[in-house]
Amino acid sequence: MKRKIAAGIILMVIIILTGCRESISTEEVYDEGLAQLEQLETVSLSRTQSLRAQQQTFRSTMEADVQFEPLEMYGTIEMSLLDLREPLQFQMYLNDDEWLSLPDHQGATWETNDREQFDDVVFENISSLLSIYKPYRHEFLMKEVDVVFAEDVTEVEVIDEDEEVDLELEENENKKIVAAYEVSFRGSDEKYKPLVRSHLEQMNLSELQGVDLDSVMESVEIERIDMIVQVDQETFDILRFQTRFRYLVEVLDEFHVIDESVIINLRDHNEPIDFDQLREQAI
């Protein structure tokens, strides 16, 4: 009799725990993750960005430590263009008043740039990269995954919940495995044009002379819009997200196929950063 009672209690606990785990909705995961991102104070991040427009191709990679309020950032950046024989590499320091860069060549010193000319949504308003999808969150899909971090913030792997995690990976002290919710979205209909408008605004297209954004939007034909975000199951910190925009648009009487992909990895959320030490190591 006691065994039956014990077995019943265990079964009840399993049912309760399973119910609690499955009770959170996709919208709640997205909202909680976005709220954490909006309140983020410091973070180490990497960004890989590629942009193709007609025959022009731009690609950049960045690793950075960031404090958002007040803004302070130190990072390393590599950029390549179609007409550049070798990638442009440099280190960068940024705060609310300064924009300094250190080219990657012998004898280089820190150079001062016009701070007013610097505009990057990752540092100015990183949450806007995901908040634009909020009106469509009832269309999101969700599954559970494992996010694997290596020592390098750029080395991140996502493993589906149905896949087996390598035992050697679990025992590797240089790897960190985090259970996450993966929220995703894909759209191609005309009703998603507001997302394209936000994307064009983030690229500062409306600031080009002679460009009327309302007229530009009339020409937009969407091929695909994708968003995938991994959210820590315990803390709801956003660990990784990627976006993809591909659409046709007419700008200044010319049609362009815009194809942009962005991947951002985040780690060490709200950990203290010694920017003085980082800058000293760079010199």
Side-chain angles (χ1 to χ4, degrees), residues 235-250:
T235 65
F236 290 97
D237 287 328
I238 289 180
L239 306 173
R240 188 175 192 268
F241 65 88
Q242 60 188 89
T243 60
R244 172 84 181 275
F245 282 85
R246 183 176 171 86
Y247 53 87
L248 177 69
V249 63
E250 183 181 9

Side-chain angles (χ1 to χ4, degrees), residues 146-173:
D146 288 317
V147 178
V148 183
F149 287 96
E151 288 184 338
D152 187 343
V153 69
T154 60
E155 297 181 21
V156 179
E157 180 182 3
V158 178
I159 301 174
D160 195 284
E161 62 174 340
D162 296 328
E163 300 178 22
E164 292 186 4
V165 178
D166 194 328
L167 292 177
E168 292 185 4
L169 184 63
E170 291 183 332
E171 296 173 356
N172 192 326
E173 295 181 356

Side-chain angles (χ1 to χ4, degrees), residues 1-10:
M1 184 66 179
K2 289 183 179 180
R3 289 183 179 179
K4 290 183 179 181
I5 293 174
I9 293 174
I10 292 173

Side-chain angles (χ1 to χ4, degrees), residues 46-59:
S46 71
R47 177 180 65 185
T48 302
Q49 179 181 19
S50 63
L51 173 63
R52 287 185 292 173
Q54 301 300 83
Q55 302 302 317
Q56 293 295 322
T57 300
F58 167 81
R59 179 179 172 82

Side-chain angles (χ1 to χ4, degrees), residues 7-269:
I9 293 174
I10 292 173
L11 180 61
M12 185 180 299
V13 170
I14 291 174
I15 292 173
I16 292 173
L17 290 177
T18 303
C20 290
R21 188 175 182 182
E22 295 180 350
S23 64
I24 190 164
S25 70
T26 304
E27 292 90 341
E28 288 173 325
V29 170
Y30 168 81
D31 289 343
E32 289 287 344
L34 185 59
Q36 289 293 97
L37 189 62
E38 290 172 343
Q39 298 169 12
L40 193 60
E41 297 177 357
T42 64
V43 74
S44 295
L45 66 82
S46 71
R47 177 180 65 185
T48 302
Q49 179 181 19
S50 63
L51 173 63
R52 287 185 292 173
Q54 301 300 83
Q55 302 302 317
Q56 293 295 322
T57 300
F58 167 81
R59 179 179 172 82
S60 71
T61 58
M62 174 182 66
E63 293 183 54
D65 293 292
V66 188
Q67 173 183 281
F68 292 100
E69 189 61 43
L71 177 62
E72 193 166 12
M73 168 270 188
Y74 168 80
T76 58
I77 299 173
E78 179 176 299
M79 296 190 302
S80 61
L81 295 170
L82 189 64
D83 53 356
L84 283 179
R85 293 184 178 180
E86 295 183 0
L88 179 64
Q89 298 176 329
F90 59 95
Q91 299 176 54
M92 188 172 81
Y93 174 80
L94 181 76
N95 61 30
D96 288 324
D97 303 312
E98 288 184 302
W99 173 19
L100 307 177
S101 58
L102 179 66
D104 186 21
H105 59 75
Q106 189 69 27
T109 58
W110 286 99
E111 301 173 359
T112 302
N113 308 286
D114 185 352
R115 179 63 179 86
E116 293 183 359
Q117 296 298 315
F118 184 88
D119 184 16
D120 190 326
V121 68
V122 168
F123 307 122
E124 304 296 340
N125 187 11
I126 188 173
S127 63
S128 67
L129 293 170
L130 290 178
S131 62
I132 61 174
Y133 298 92
K134 197 166 188 176
Y136 311 100
R137 70 192 199 284
H138 61 284
E139 302 179 32
F140 292 174
L141 301 175
M142 185 171 71
K143 63 181 180 180
E144 295 183 10
V145 297
D146 288 317
V147 178
V148 183
F149 287 96
E151 288 184 338
D152 187 343
V153 69
T154 60
E155 297 181 21
V156 179
E157 180 182 3
V158 178
I159 301 174
D160 195 284
E161 62 174 340
D162 296 328
E163 300 178 22
E164 292 186 4
V165 178
D166 194 328
L167 292 177
E168 292 185 4
L169 184 63
E170 291 183 332
E171 296 173 356
N172 192 326
E173 295 181 356
N174 296 325
K175 303 281 187 178
K176 178 182 178 182
I177 303 175
V178 182
Y181 298 111
E182 180 175 279
V183 176
S184 61
F185 163 84
R186 170 169 287 188
S188 59
D189 296 339
E190 188 171 307
K191 68 178 181 179
Y192 303 117
K193 276 190 173 183
L195 291 174
V196 174
R197 187 184 185 98
S198 296
H199 185 245
L200 291 171
E201 289 174 345
Q202 290 173 356
M203 293 194 298
N204 297 320
L205 183 70
S206 59
E207 297 181 8
L208 292 179
Q209 187 175 1
V211 172
D212 177 58
L213 197 53
D214 291 331
S215 298
V216 168
M217 288 305 303
E218 293 178 2
S219 69
V220 169
E221 295 181 14
I222 301 172
E223 181 175 325
R224 62 182 295 177
I225 300 174
D226 298 306
M227 183 277 292
I228 302 175
V229 57
Q230 283 87 25
V231 183
D232 189 313
Q233 290 187 14
E234 292 187 4
T235 65
F236 290 97
D237 287 328
I238 289 180
L239 306 173
R240 188 175 192 268
F241 65 88
Q242 60 188 89
T243 60
R244 172 84 181 275
F245 282 85
R246 183 176 171 86
Y247 53 87
L248 177 69
V249 63
E250 183 181 9
V251 181
L252 299 177
D253 300 323
E254 291 188 14
F255 280 94
H256 301 272
V257 176
I258 305 297
D259 190 352
E260 187 204 42
S261 175
V262 176
I263 300 175
I264 296 181
N265 301 317
L266 305 171
R267 67 186 299 173
D268 299 331
H269 301 67

